[in-house]
Amino acid sequence: FQSLQEMHFQIQNQCNLNFVNMWMWCCLILHNMILEIEEDLGLMSSNVEYMEEAATWGISLVHE
């Protein structure tokens, strides 16, 4: 997801906005698919590790 961090895109019209919006949605979908695949394979994702570490700081990253 380095592409999102490094994305420097001038949004000058609706077409540009649509492109950036589509790219962000694709990254979100890919992220969710990776989490599901890791779960199906029984792997602990880095996302879970991050959430557990945040819990030790007293911060909940899970919205209930």
Side-chain angles (χ1 to χ4, degrees), residues 1 6 8 19 27 29 32 34-38 46 51 55 61-62:
F1 303 99
E6 304 266 334
H8 302 285
F19 175 81
C27 288
I29 291 167
N32 290 338
I34 290 169
L35 289 179
E36 284 186 30
I37 291 168
E38 286 177 338
S46 59
M51 289 170 50
L61 299 178
V62 178

Side-chain angles (χ1 to χ4, degrees), residues 22-42:
M22 180 207 53
W23 189 258
M24 289 176 30
W25 273 105
C26 289
C27 288
L28 287 170
I29 291 167
L30 180 59
H31 173 264
N32 290 338
M33 288 176 62
I34 290 169
L35 289 179
E36 284 186 30
I37 291 168
E38 286 177 338
E39 183 179 322
D40 290 345
L41 294 175

Side-chain angles (χ1 to χ4, degrees), residues 2-57:
Q2 189 72 20
S3 66
L4 289 176
Q5 184 176 6
E6 304 266 334
M7 182 179 254
H8 302 285
F9 197 82
Q10 291 289 335
I11 299 175
Q12 299 177 348
N13 56 41
Q14 187 64 40
C15 184
N16 296 148
L17 180 61
N18 291 343
F19 175 81
V20 171
N21 191 33
M22 180 207 53
W23 189 258
M24 289 176 30
W25 273 105
C26 289
C27 288
L28 287 170
I29 291 167
L30 180 59
H31 173 264
N32 290 338
M33 288 176 62
I34 290 169
L35 289 179
E36 284 186 30
I37 291 168
E38 286 177 338
E39 183 179 322
D40 290 345
L41 294 175
L43 302 173
M44 178 181 255
S45 74
S46 59
N47 192 39
V48 171
E49 292 174 14
Y50 179 74
M51 289 170 50
E52 289 174 352
E53 183 178 342
T56 64
W57 303 334

